[in-house]
Amino acid sequence: SSGGAMRLFFALWPDAGTVDRLMAWAREAQALCGGRIMRPETLHMTLAFLGETPADAARDLAREARGWNVSLGSLVLSDCGRFKGPRIVWAGPSLAEGRVGWLDALYDSLWSRLEQHGWSRPAGAFRPHVTLLRNAGPGETSLLDAPPLAWSPTRCVLVASRPQKGMAHYEVLASLPVSA
Ligand code: 2AM
């Protein structure tokens, strides 16, 4: 249908094996912090959140994005934490290990392209993370006893999120071509 706005975001989407290992982390995190575990099919690392977008603009962006080559590398999720504000608990690359170069470069190139198409880059720094829990309670996330999770993403996608029966329903609008 042509009507109805949707929320758009670009994300790295994990393979099935990585989803399994993220879910093991999520269960451990829930034991510490409570809250609600993300459904496995919704786990991802957001690169760019575009917010509410009309359907025709989404279609145009999807057509563009299918031509945006991206290079992907590997990372290690070894940190579990939370941000101030939203009650989420996430897995992310450890800050002690410094920035993940290819991931920051990917974020930059994606936003450069988006800016050429009229979207505005967020003011804050990129905080790469995979949300594991929502509505989490207090709990010491540093106590999480889960092994570091090596991940070599192979899919970078543009996704539309639509609310459906109180749950976010995700649809992949475009897969970006991955170059070596
Ligand atoms: P989060 O996991 O940290 O909540 C879809 O909503 C994706 O876009 C989520 O991964 C979410 O991050 C991310 N996102 C980034 N900024 C957002 C915002 N202002 N509102 C909702 N989601 C946002």
Side-chain angles (χ1 to χ4, degrees):
S1 89
S2 58
M6 51 193 113
R7 290 156 61 133
L8 297 190
F9 62 98
F10 285 87
L12 295 173
W13 219 264
D15 57 279
T18 303
V19 168
D20 286 347
R21 291 179 297 148
L22 283 166
M23 288 301 284
W25 270 55
R27 285 189 290 271
E28 295 227 15
Q30 190 189 39
L32 287 168
C33 306
R36 177 168 57 81
I37 298 187
M38 295 282 288
R39 284 169 290 140
E41 67 274 19
T42 67
L43 291 170
H44 63 272
M45 177 180 281
T46 299
L47 296 166
F49 179 75
L50 303 179
E52 291 288 338
T53 306
D56 56 347
R59 192 174 50 239
D60 291 349
L61 179 61
R63 190 179 302 128
E64 289 287 336
R66 284 182 205 114
W68 293 352
N69 270 284
V70 293
S71 350
L72 306 178
S74 55
L75 61 123
V76 179
L77 301 175
S78 53
D79 202 18
C80 181
R82 56 172 93 231
F83 299 136
K84 292 195 181 69
R87 295 166 60 201
I88 71 164
V89 169
W90 46 256
S94 157
L95 285 181
E97 290 154 20
R99 302 297 304 187
V100 179
W102 69 265
L103 188 56
D104 284 342
L106 173 62
Y107 177 88
D108 254 7
S109 72
L110 194 53
W111 272 112
S112 299
R113 284 155 160 164
L114 287 166
E115 283 172 333
Q116 287 169 21
H117 291 270
W119 269 275
S120 308
R121 195 185 289 239
F126 174 40
R127 307 275 306 268
H129 66 280
V130 178
T131 295
L132 303 175
L133 305 177
R134 296 198 186 277
N135 301 317
E140 190 46 71
T141 54
S142 63
L143 294 178
L144 188 88
D145 184 25
L149 199 162
W151 178 26
S152 301
T154 56
R155 296 189 69 208
C156 182
V157 290
L158 171 63
V159 176
S161 165
R162 296 186 188 82
Q164 223 166 61
K165 295 176 189 139
M167 291 193 303
H169 176 82
Y170 292 160
E171 181 193 350
V172 173
L173 300 184
S175 287
L176 280 59
V178 177
S179 48

